């Protein structure tokens, strides 16, 4: 058994179906903040996309006609090692 290392992240339980349904209900308020937060949560939950991938997603990476998104990013370490 490995010892616990300070700052180590423990596994989190996945949400239950009921919890996801509650979280993903469209907001009652139709202001920008509530709609943006709901859209972010819905996208993360329905696509399996990571938060970093969503932050780096650009409009040119989305193919709306085929309902596809292309996730591409470059690791900082890869950039540094290429220099």
């Amino acid at each position: 058994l490995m010892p616990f290392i300070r700052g180590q992240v423990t596994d989190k339980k996945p949400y239950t179906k009921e919890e996801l349904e509650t979280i993903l209900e469209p907001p009652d308020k139709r202001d920008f903040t509530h709609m943006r937060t709901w859209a972010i949560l819905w996208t993360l939950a329905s696509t399996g996309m990571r938060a970093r991938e969503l932050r780096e997603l650009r409009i040119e990476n989305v193919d709306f006609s085929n309902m596809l998104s292309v996730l591409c990013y470059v690791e900082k370490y890869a950039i540094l090692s290429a220099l």
Side-chain angles (χ1 to χ4, degrees):
L1 201 58
M2 293 182 63
F4 183 79
I5 300 171
R6 192 171 135 209
Q8 184 178 15
V9 178
T10 58
D11 291 338
K12 296 179 182 178
K13 290 183 183 177
Y15 290 112
T16 64
K17 183 178 178 181
E18 294 79 22
E19 290 171 328
L20 270 178
E21 287 173 356
T22 302
I23 291 171
L24 298 178
E25 274 183 23
D28 293 334
K29 294 183 178 183
R30 298 284 180 184
D31 64 356
F32 175 77
T33 305
H34 286 92
M35 291 303 294
R36 179 197 61 202
T37 303
W38 175 77
I40 290 170
L41 291 173
W42 185 89
T43 303
L44 292 172
S46 64
T47 64
M49 192 180 291
R50 294 181 175 99
R52 176 182 174 180
E53 294 168 339
L54 182 60
R55 284 192 309 270
E56 294 179 0
L57 185 65
R58 301 293 175 250
I59 195 75
E60 57 267 10
N61 298 116
V62 180
D63 180 359
F64 290 103
S65 59
N66 294 314
M67 298 181 68
L68 297 171
S69 64
V70 178
L71 302 176
C72 55
Y73 56 89
V74 177
E75 294 287 334
K76 290 181 184 176
Y77 301 110
I79 293 171
L80 292 175
S81 64
L83 294 177

